[in-house]
Amino acid sequence: MASLISEMEIGQEKDRKTLPGPILLLGAPGAGKGTQAKELVKLWEIPQISTGDLLRANVAQGTQLGQAAQAVMDRGDLVPDSLVNDMVAVRLSEPDTIRGYILDGYPRTLNQAGWLDGRIAGRPESLPVVAVSIQVDYNQLLRRITGRRNCPVCQTIYNVYAKPPRISGICDIEGAALVQRADDTEEVFAERMRAYAALTEPVVEHYRALGRFAEVDGNRPIDVVVAGIVAAVERLRAL
Ligand code: AMP
């Protein structure tokens, strides 16, 4: 009996170590966090939590948060920490996050990182955070951002240079006219990069120092980058 219980405990411990748990995808605007997160969602069956998507949904619905965030987002600055942390708190309390989640675009400041670390530390059942930073060259980022177009119906992401739709400006799946985000222009990109360097690079250094951290070369094809992230997470989960 005793050996059966210990075998069960070992099994549970093994499961715990192999669960995806909380994963952070870090990287500059255009690094491919959203694209990679969508692939990882299919693989691990845990939700992608993109603060950019949540904020855009609030803007579209005209909520109080959306009204407060829209102008800040349109000029490429960061939405105040307290608003974003409250929004993330609500999302993380949903039951689909129990086995883990992929945070995409959060945390973006040391204050947000401190809030998240405190929340996870307060839940002993949660695995520790694993952070993966996706590295992409500046010119590649610029091409990805200024070329990006989205389908407003199915949210498929195209790129006029790298992944154009069959008919220019039209979604292959829905036939809807593609749209460009207001903050995907070259001027706003420059501002977003300034915000990234000043406020988010310290977050990358914070997680690098904590140890469960990896860098992945995001200049390569999507499937190669996904494989790199999966390998990094498996290695870091086993620590
Ligand atoms: P993204 O879709 O991740 O590029 O985010 C688009 C915009 O939403 C950013 O430029 C910010 O204005 C805002 N935003 C998204 N995530 C955050 C965050 N964690 N903290 C503050 N602002 C954010």
Side-chain angles (χ1 to χ4, degrees):
M1 188 66 177
S3 71
L4 190 64
I5 289 173
S6 60
E7 265 172 38
M8 270 173 60
E9 279 170 356
I10 292 166
Q12 279 169 359
E13 182 57 24
K14 198 163 158 256
D15 276 359
R16 238 177 68 80
K17 283 206 162 177
T18 53
L19 282 177
I23 314 284
L24 310 186
L25 288 187
L26 306 171
K33 301 182 295 292
T35 305
Q36 301 302 336
K38 285 186 177 60
E39 297 302 315
L40 298 168
V41 162
K42 289 185 222 156
L43 214 63
W44 288 329
E45 299 178 334
I46 56 173
Q48 167 196 13
I49 301 178
S50 154
T51 44
D53 286 351
L54 291 175
L55 287 166
R56 278 185 290 278
N58 274 275
V59 170
Q61 288 157 16
T63 65
Q64 228 180 348
L65 169 60
Q67 284 168 23
Q70 180 161 26
V72 182
M73 292 171 74
D74 284 352
R75 61 172 189 264
D77 289 338
L78 294 189
V79 174
D81 290 333
S82 59
L83 299 183
V84 179
N85 289 344
D86 286 352
M87 181 180 78
V88 171
V90 171
R91 182 63 187 88
L92 289 184
S93 64
E94 289 175 25
D96 64 340
T97 59
I98 283 173
R99 290 181 56 249
Y101 43 87
I102 301 161
L103 277 169
D104 144 18
Y106 180 92
R108 260 177 156 99
T109 65
L110 283 174
N111 177 303
Q112 293 177 14
W115 180 88
L116 179 70
D117 293 350
R119 189 186 188 283
I120 290 172
R123 286 177 169 64
E125 74 282 7
S126 172
L127 289 176
V129 147
V130 163
V132 179
S133 173
I134 306 174
Q135 305 288 315
V136 175
D137 301 336
Y138 186 91
N139 285 338
Q140 182 70 256
L141 293 173
L142 181 63
R143 236 170 89 94
R144 287 188 187 179
I145 288 286
T146 56
R148 180 158 64 184
R149 302 290 183 274
N150 303 327
C151 171
V153 181
C154 65
Q155 312 309 328
T156 299
I157 302 171
Y158 296 88
N159 187 286
V160 297
Y161 309 114
K163 191 192 162 207
R166 282 195 296 272
I167 303 167
S168 171
I170 304 292
C171 176
D172 292 347
I173 303 160
E174 296 290 339
L178 300 179
V179 292
Q180 182 177 28
R181 276 168 46 177
D183 59 347
D184 275 352
T185 61
E186 193 163 345
E187 303 71 50
V188 181
F189 170 73
E191 186 52 41
R192 289 162 74 193
M193 285 301 285
R194 269 194 289 278
Y196 181 78
L199 301 168
T200 311
E201 274 174 7
V203 173
V204 176
E205 294 316 311
H206 167 74
Y207 286 106
R208 190 196 303 277
L210 287 184
R212 281 193 171 79
F213 173 87
E215 263 170 10
V216 168
D217 178 1
N219 296 292
R220 297 167 305 167
I222 295 173
D223 54 339
V224 179
V225 182
V226 172
I229 296 173
V230 171
V233 169
E234 283 175 357
R235 179 171 55 78
L236 296 170
R237 269 288 164 251
L239 290 181

